[in-house]
Each structure stands twice: as C-alpha cells, then as structure tokens.
Amino acid sequence: MTPDPEASGTVRVQMAVNGRPVNAEISACTSLADFLRGELGLTGTHLGCEHGVCGACTLEVDGVAVRGCLMLAVQADGARVRTVEGLDDPLGRALKAAFVARNALQCGFCTPGMLATLHEAIGAGLAPERGAVRAALSGNFCRCTGYEAIVDAAMDVIRAREETADAR
C-alpha cells in the first residue's frame, strides 16, 4: 500500500538539478538547501545563518539567484536548479578559475554562494565596475574579509568576457 502523501505530510517533487531530472517524495517543510544537501548529497550549497542573510546557501532556480535556506523544495517543483556543483558552463568555469587564480577562497565557506551570485549577475550583464560587483555581492558575507580578492576575480571574468565579445 502506498502511503497517502497528504496524510504523512510529504509531497512529490520533480525538478532538474544541475541538468539531471530529480523525482522525490519529501516533507513539505523541507528547505531547498536541506533537500539538496540531505537527499541529493550536493553539499556544495552551504548553510550559514539559515535566515537568508549570509548568502552561503545561494543557488540558482530558473536562472535566478535565490537563498536555498529560505525556499522550500516544493517551491522548486518543475524548476531548473543549479548548485555550485552545476556551475560547469563557460562562465561558471571562468569564475572558479578566477577565484583560484586570485586566491579568493580563503576558508571557502562563502565561496559557493559567492559563485552562484556572481554567475547570475555576470550572466545578466553586470556592469564592469568594482562598485557594481560589490553591490551584487552585498548579500553575501565573507567572514575571512576576502572581498578584495573576490571582487578582483569577478572583474577578471567580466573583463575577459568583454574582450571576447570585442573580438567577435
């Protein structure tokens, strides 16, 4: 006998996570970050404050950066979810390489959220200005105070993209 999902407080969700279809039955009150980490083993999404303030849990849902700790997994039903593990497109690879080259990692706890935030912002055409990068990252905290290196890494990626666009 199949348990009644409504009686047990569970719901079935379907989504694409990092390009792979996911079909799962979960508790209706499971956050997206907890679902990704606990059910799918995608531990790159970090949980910091769990109040949407620190940005460590930032990931993309349908191309928009969201706080995984504030979004329920059921709200992502039918959506395309991209975690730091799924940032394998040219922009994602460029960001990861720039973070390494600029030593923008330090302890690394905030890095997945920083990368997801920058991936969305740069992909949407973030202005090639340090102030714009700082504004885009204003919802992401780095306790190691490594912001300069992070902004440098983002500027490297933005400049490289501009040079590539100019070369076309």
Side-chain angles (χ1 to χ4, degrees), residues 4-145:
D4 179 0
E6 290 183 31
S8 64
T10 62
V11 292
R12 179 153 301 279
V13 295
Q14 295 181 341
M15 61 186 79
V17 178
N18 298 332
R20 295 189 178 128
V22 172
N23 185 347
E25 188 167 314
I26 60 171
S27 169
C29 60
T30 302
S31 76
L32 182 56
D34 283 339
F35 173 66
L36 295 168
R37 291 178 58 82
E39 299 295 324
L40 303 183
L42 297 170
T43 57
T45 300
H46 291 168
L47 287 168
C49 68
E50 298 192 53
H51 290 88
V53 177
C54 73
C57 64
T58 305
L59 48 88
E60 290 183 14
V61 175
D62 289 334
V64 177
V66 302
R67 300 291 196 247
C69 72
L70 296 181
M71 184 173 190
L72 296 174
V74 297
Q75 293 174 297
D77 187 38
R80 291 173 292 113
V81 177
R82 185 183 339 219
T83 68
V84 69
E85 292 94 340
L87 292 179
D88 58 359
D89 62 350
L91 176 55
R93 288 192 300 272
L95 280 166
K96 290 176 183 178
F99 268 57
V100 171
R102 289 290 190 162
N103 195 26
L105 301 164
Q106 297 206 20
C107 85
F109 191 81
C110 69
T111 303
M114 295 279 186
L115 289 169
T117 298
L118 288 169
H119 187 269
E120 183 221 22
I122 294 171
L126 182 67
E129 300 165 0
R130 293 183 73 83
V133 172
R134 290 180 192 279
L137 292 173
S138 64
N140 294 75
F141 296 157
C142 173
R143 292 184 177 189
C144 302
T145 66

